[in-house]
Amino acid sequence: GDDHATFVGEVLKPDLQRANAPPERAFDGGKEWKDIDVAQQYEHHRPPSPQLPPNATLFVSIASYRDAERCGRTLVELYRLAAFPDRVYVGVVDQRDTTTTTTESYCIREFCRLWYQDGLGDEKLDNEKFLNDGDSAEVVAVLPPHCEHAHRVRVTYMDAATESAGPVVARAKGDMLMRNETFCMQVDSHMYVVKHWDIELVREWWNTDNEFGIVTTYVPRHEHINR
């Protein structure tokens, strides 16, 4: 476990966007625009301010259609680059082709393979530590190895040929893997993230000054990351 105060402090440091935001402009009913303090004038119309619990957690939903290796890489990036990886939980809807003679791999298996390939863990120690971990019964059924953070990944399996019914159904099944996490995010199975993406995203939400705020985007090509 990390220090709760550290998480909140990182999200709110520095809270410059709100403090240095230019005044909003509105039409004064005459012929000119003027600067007004919207926060005071329309306070009764505003949604509640955001509440950030110190023990906040994040849930990431991933629908993967025959994309095991890139799905595994997405998991590696999510945990490798999170500032607080112990707070990140992932739900994967893994749609695999089980009808071919060469059975496709699993997203979670590729995650662990790439984790060790990148030198991020000790395979022998991890097998001893995570074998039969309480939250990972489904993982244990399809894996060794049991890499770090694998017990934080919840998986639903579907046969790509006989059970898959499109991305909407798969994403709905992914949402069902969420438990009591504070925040949720939906991404594709072939994504890269920036360093400390978890803090950056929660900070983006905090700066909406809206408890019901939603942060969304059409992501650019990975070559443009950090630009």
Side-chain angles (χ1 to χ4, degrees):
D2 51 74
D3 179 35
H4 292 338
T6 302
F7 177 80
V8 175
E10 287 297 321
V11 170
L12 305 185
K13 181 192 80 173
D15 193 4
L16 296 178
Q17 287 180 275
R18 192 184 308 174
N20 297 332
E24 300 188 51
R25 301 181 67 80
F27 194 58
D28 66 359
K31 297 181 179 180
E32 297 181 351
W33 291 85
K34 65 178 182 179
D35 295 339
I36 61 171
D37 189 341
V38 175
Q40 290 185 5
Q41 186 168 348
Y42 299 107
E43 187 65 33
H44 58 292
H45 292 306
R46 297 181 65 85
S49 295
Q51 303 295 315
L52 182 60
N55 60 343
T57 52
L58 295 87
F59 174 78
V60 182
S61 176
I62 299 175
S64 174
Y65 182 82
R66 304 188 65 185
D67 202 16
E69 182 170 1
R70 292 195 298 177
C71 178
R73 172 56 64 189
T74 298
L75 293 178
V76 169
E77 297 301 297
L78 287 172
Y79 283 105
R80 180 178 71 87
L81 293 173
F84 297 90
D86 292 354
R87 294 171 177 258
V88 176
Y89 297 86
V90 181
V92 176
V93 179
D94 196 356
Q95 302 164 90
R96 301 169 51 252
D97 181 6
T98 61
T99 63
T100 59
T101 54
T102 304
T103 304
E104 292 179 350
S105 186
Y106 299 86
C107 174
I108 190 71
R109 181 174 289 165
E110 291 301 305
F111 166 45
C112 287
R113 181 181 68 81
L114 293 167
W115 187 264
Y116 294 125
Q117 176 181 293
D118 291 355
L120 298 172
D122 185 307
E123 184 172 354
K124 182 177 184 298
L125 291 178
D126 281 352
N127 272 304
E128 294 174 357
K129 181 177 180 181
F130 292 105
L131 187 63
N132 296 317
D133 196 306
D135 236 4
S136 58
E138 196 162 19
V139 171
V140 171
V142 300
L143 196 65
H146 308 282
C147 59
E148 186 175 7
H149 305 301
H151 62 300
R152 296 188 175 91
V153 181
R154 307 161 193 153
V155 187
T156 291
Y157 296 101
M158 300 176 67
D159 181 80
T162 63
E163 297 178 317
S164 293
V168 175
V169 172
R171 287 169 181 158
K173 286 183 175 292
D175 291 346
M176 294 172 66
L177 295 172
M178 184 177 180
R179 295 182 184 171
N180 295 314
E181 287 80 23
T182 314
F183 298 97
C184 63
M185 177 173 73
Q186 184 180 96
V187 299
D188 289 334
S189 57
H190 36 265
M191 304 292 289
Y192 287 92
V193 294
V194 299
K195 184 178 181 180
H196 295 173
W197 62 270
D198 48 340
I199 292 297
E200 295 294 336
L201 279 173
V202 175
R203 185 180 293 147
E204 284 274 322
W205 168 80
W206 176 264
N207 282 327
T208 67
D209 197 22
N210 182 350
E211 173 70 14
F212 308 129
I214 297 174
V215 179
T216 183
T217 186
Y218 189 90
V219 295
R221 291 177 60 86
H222 68 85
E223 293 94 335
H224 299 153
I225 203 166
N226 287 326
R227 291 186 183 178

